[in-house]
Amino acid sequence: MFLEEIKKRRTFGIISHPDAGKTTLTEKLLLFGGAIQEAGAVKSNKIKKGATSDFMEIERQRGISVATSVLAFYYKNKKINILDTPGHKDFAEDTFRTLTAVDSVIVVIDVAKGVEEQTEKLVEVCRMRQIPMIVFINKLDREGKDAFDLMDEVEQKLGLRVTPLTFPIGMGYDFQGIYNIWTKNVQLFQEEDKQHKGTAVAYDDLTDPALGQAIGQNALDQLKEELELVEGVYPEFDQKDYLDGKLQPVFFGSALNNFGVQELLDCFIDIAPAPLVKKAEEREIDPTEKSFSGFVFKIHANMDPNHRDRLAFIKIVSGTFERNKPYLHVRHNKKLKFSSPNAFFAEKKEIVDISYPGDIVGLHDTGNFKIGDSLTAGEQINFKGIPSFSPEHFRYINNADPMKAKQLNKGIDQLMDEGVAQLFTLSLNNRKVIGTVGALQFDVIQYRLEHEYGAKCSYENLNVHKACWVEAEDENNSEFAEFKRVKQKFLAIDKAGQLVFLADSAFSLQMTQQKYPSVRFHFTSEF
Ligand code: G4P
């Protein structure tokens, strides 16, 4: 029973450059799963263009992102957990963290735009972690790039090795349908009935005489030629290679028109991995182990400012998580019990008694958790793989209301635990510096400090090019002491107490690296 439950789980994320169709595809997957009844039910969590200083928009976005953090549904006896990843680049760090909790991903690419910047960054992270990836090329109803050219582009720009599992018959105005290489049959596209499951006409194979009549002999001949080329050029699909992150199957379709989505979903539940083994500092944890273990990958502050309550999202790695059972908060070495763990189904949350590996539970938290924390049945396990990257923007944060210093410090502390930004304390004078991925976060922090903590802050610019985590080859080495003395002005401590070098330019970073060869400079907080 326990093993059956694990095998049923498919926990994944959809990543894309904004506007490629992530929300639309998510929605169509939910429609197939019967989790929602009509299109338009899943709200896009993207921040509308030009709304960067609109606080209502930020609040709206926060509300939606709680609702869509995890979307779970059942499909053909599999439990699908979709983890939402923000598309906006200012929230890229949130997406990176969510990727630590997925077992596979689907990458959505716009057929006309091809590989875009945000896709490159996100895929690189997945590739480094060898996360199994499926590519969905969307908007086939529009004029776009040639299928072969696009697959070349995906290989070159994303460094992937692809093989198509479906192939389009025409494109844009001439888009007629899809040949399913995986099941070897043809589905023809019909534009009506966008809301509901496809009403496509299916043909068993290419020799069906009715097919030539339906799509025209020329289109059929071209399709046959293209499929020959596919066979000659691309490797045969090998599930092991896919699971090892060495081969990425490609699907074509139109999420908006509900086309090619079922082919994707049906193949996905067959080939995508059930929960995988996860590395911890101490050892590898297998999902089938009986003892519970899990980690926090996301923290969401409650929307209600009168309740300083937060929801910590835990990915269950092994064993079962049960309501009201005491579990060990490893970092605090403290047992905690949870009377109302939330599970997420499409648009609603409900209290669950038991959850299995692959599932996400939301735990009410009053400030105990921070991102990356482990929770176990008792063992000392620290999960790896939630590093911080160097922020892009840095500013001093000052207290603008001396009466509210306590509130300000508490607010900053909790927002940093949530992963909104990173805090560095300068070694020289203890001044606090906030580092963020996007400029938008400064507004978010200021707004939330005021509305949730009653504190006021102001910012001051600071010229930092990059934050590097530093360590000495040998702590007692005199070169390290010299480095710390000479560069004291540029040194800070991060929230975990690690030493950080705030380089003011690429040039000074390079010079410092050359001058102190025995000092190690790292570009993420985990090394
Ligand atoms: P995102 O979450 O990746 O940012 O993208 P989203 O799904 O919001 O889609 C972005 C736009 O692309 C939307 O149009 C959506 O309707 C459209 N779209 C998605 N899939 C397809 C497709 O297969 N074909 C075509 N032609 N368009 C598609 P919008 O006008 O920006 O928003 P809306 O007003 O339709 O919501």
Side-chain angles (χ1 to χ4, degrees):
M1 169 69 182
F2 171 59
L3 293 183
E4 282 300 302
E5 288 295 334
I6 299 176
K7 274 197 225 144
K8 267 190 201 171
R9 267 61 186 170
R10 298 286 181 275
T11 303
F12 75 107
I14 304 180
I15 56 176
S16 74
H17 192 86
D19 277 348
K22 184 167 70 74
T23 313
T24 313
L25 178 64
T26 306
E27 189 167 87
K28 296 303 156 109
L29 294 174
L30 294 173
L31 274 173
F32 279 113
I36 53 172
Q37 305 315 319
E38 58 182 315
V42 179
K43 297 281 176 295
S44 166
N45 74 351
K46 63 188 161 187
I47 293 178
K48 295 267 182 281
K49 287 180 197 84
T52 45
S53 56
D54 181 344
F55 297 119
M56 287 321 289
E57 187 61 24
I58 293 168
E59 284 302 276
R60 190 192 66 88
Q61 134 88 21
R62 286 179 56 218
I64 290 168
S65 77
V66 158
T68 60
S69 286
V70 189
L71 296 159
F73 63 95
Y74 283 91
Y75 179 75
K76 296 196 174 164
N77 200 29
K78 295 280 186 308
K79 174 149 187 230
I80 320 268
N81 295 314
I82 306 182
L83 306 197
D84 189 40
T85 55
H88 195 290
K89 72 171 176 17
D90 284 10
F91 293 94
E93 186 124 357
D94 256 3
T95 300
F96 294 143
R97 283 191 293 256
T98 299
L99 290 177
T100 62
V102 302
D103 295 309
S104 70
V105 303
I106 295 179
V107 185
V108 182
I109 291 175
D110 181 323
V111 70
K113 297 197 175 133
V115 173
E116 295 172 89
E117 184 198 342
Q118 200 60 11
T119 325
E120 283 187 57
K121 284 195 188 145
L122 295 170
V123 167
E124 193 183 332
V125 173
C126 296
R127 225 186 37 219
M128 270 162 25
R129 301 216 175 112
Q130 280 130 27
I131 299 176
M133 279 182 263
I134 289 178
V135 178
F136 181 72
I137 297 187
N138 189 30
K139 308 197 186 179
L140 266 275
D141 57 311
R142 287 202 184 155
E143 294 303 327
K145 302 187 182 185
D146 169 76
F148 289 104
D149 289 348
L150 256 175
M151 286 191 287
D152 275 355
E153 188 178 325
V154 168
E155 292 206 311
Q156 274 156 26
K157 284 203 182 160
L158 299 180
L160 304 181
R161 182 170 159 255
V162 303
T163 192
L165 285 185
T166 64
F167 202 82
I169 307 172
M171 200 177 280
Y173 185 71
D174 297 325
F175 180 51
Q176 302 215 54
I178 273 176
Y179 178 71
N180 191 335
I181 299 175
W182 178 244
T183 53
K184 303 214 176 333
N185 62 0
V186 176
Q187 296 273 324
L188 292 192
F189 171 56
Q190 292 189 326
E191 214 165 338
E192 70 264 18
D193 199 21
K194 291 179 186 173
Q195 286 274 350
H196 293 285
K197 297 171 192 183
T199 51
V201 188
Y203 295 90
D204 281 343
D205 59 49
L206 294 178
T207 58
D208 190 330
L211 180 61
Q213 275 177 3
I215 66 171
Q217 197 54 42
N218 284 350
L220 182 60
D221 290 343
Q222 191 187 340
L223 174 66
K224 284 181 179 165
E225 256 173 51
E226 286 172 333
L227 291 176
E228 263 173 38
L229 197 58
V230 165
E231 221 180 292
V233 173
Y234 295 100
E236 202 171 320
F237 177 72
D238 179 293
Q239 193 181 7
K240 183 168 182 310
D241 280 355
Y242 156 67
L243 293 177
D244 290 344
K246 292 182 184 147
L247 181 68
Q248 289 76 26
V250 177
F251 290 79
F252 291 85
S254 164
L256 187 67
N257 293 295
N258 223 344
F259 209 79
V261 177
Q262 181 143 24
E263 285 80 356
L264 171 73
L265 183 58
D266 283 341
C267 182
F268 171 83
I269 58 167
D270 268 358
I271 65 172
L276 303 168
V277 167
K278 179 103 188 146
K279 276 194 189 125
E281 271 165 33
E282 296 77 7
R283 61 186 186 87
E284 290 194 340
I285 318 294
D286 193 292
T288 60
E289 290 179 27
K290 285 271 163 355
S291 302
F292 162 72
S293 67
F295 64 93
V296 180
F297 66 95
K298 179 180 181 127
I299 292 179
H300 217 293
N302 199 301
M303 302 294 292
D304 178 358
N306 300 322
H307 264 265
R308 189 121 351 104
D309 188 14
R310 314 191 292 177
L311 210 52
F313 290 80
I314 314 261
K315 161 91 186 274
I316 297 172
V317 177
S318 66
T320 52
F321 179 91
E322 288 165 49
R323 190 156 84 94
N324 281 328
K325 251 195 170 176
Y327 291 117
L328 178 68
H329 183 307
V330 176
R331 184 171 55 89
H332 285 166
N333 195 22
K334 189 164 92 178
K335 291 257 175 167
L336 299 173
K337 260 203 275 194
F338 303 91
S339 59
S340 52
N342 282 297
F344 305 86
F345 284 95
E347 281 181 296
K348 58 181 193 294
K349 1 183 245 221
E350 40 187 64
I351 291 174
V352 273
D353 290 327
I354 182 160
S355 306
Y356 295 91
D359 284 341
I360 310 298
V361 285
L363 303 179
H364 290 282
D365 171 42
T366 46
N368 282 315
F369 286 118
K370 70 178 198 182
I371 290 196
D373 276 349
S374 302
L375 201 61
T376 72
E379 192 179 336
Q380 290 287 331
I381 294 175
N382 289 284
F383 285 101
K384 289 168 74 156
I386 308 207
S388 299
F389 295 85
S390 173
E392 306 272 325
H393 305 264
F394 297 82
R395 288 185 199 169
Y396 286 117
I397 183 163
N398 300 323
N399 185 2
D401 180 353
M403 304 297 286
K404 298 283 171 62
K406 231 171 108 183
Q407 285 87 334
L408 183 77
N409 287 335
K410 182 167 184 187
I412 293 177
D413 218 43
Q414 294 206 344
L415 293 182
M416 298 307 124
D417 281 353
E418 249 183 64
V420 176
Q422 293 180 58
L423 178 71
F424 304 98
T425 309
L426 292 186
S427 304
L428 192 66
N429 52 18
N430 282 330
R431 285 193 73 180
K432 288 190 164 113
V433 173
I434 301 273
T436 67
V437 176
L440 184 56
Q441 267 101 338
F442 290 108
D443 294 343
V444 174
I445 292 168
Q446 197 168 36
Y447 178 83
R448 290 190 55 193
L449 282 173
E450 192 170 338
H451 287 83
E452 291 169 36
Y453 298 90
K456 282 201 167 73
C457 75
S458 63
Y459 298 114
E460 220 178 292
N461 281 335
L462 173 71
N463 176 33
V464 177
H465 161 70
K466 223 177 192 73
C468 311
W469 283 263
V470 285
E471 62 168 350
E473 253 169 29
D474 169 8
E475 282 287 339
N476 302 318
N477 162 329
S478 61
E479 191 175 289
F480 193 56
E482 160 89 1
F483 162 77
K484 286 202 286 192
R485 191 179 57 76
V486 175
K487 295 291 174 192
Q488 193 191 17
K489 208 178 118 199
F490 300 97
L491 291 179
I493 300 293
D494 75 1
K495 208 160 170 276
Q498 297 193 99
L499 189 63
V500 179
F501 176 60
L502 301 175
D504 57 356
S505 70
F507 178 72
S508 85
L509 174 59
Q510 200 186 358
M511 294 310 286
T512 311
Q513 280 173 308
Q514 276 170 13
K515 192 157 175 217
Y516 304 99
S518 74
V519 177
R520 296 198 183 119
F521 294 80
H522 303 279
F523 296 98
T524 66
S525 64
E526 234 177 50
F527 36 86

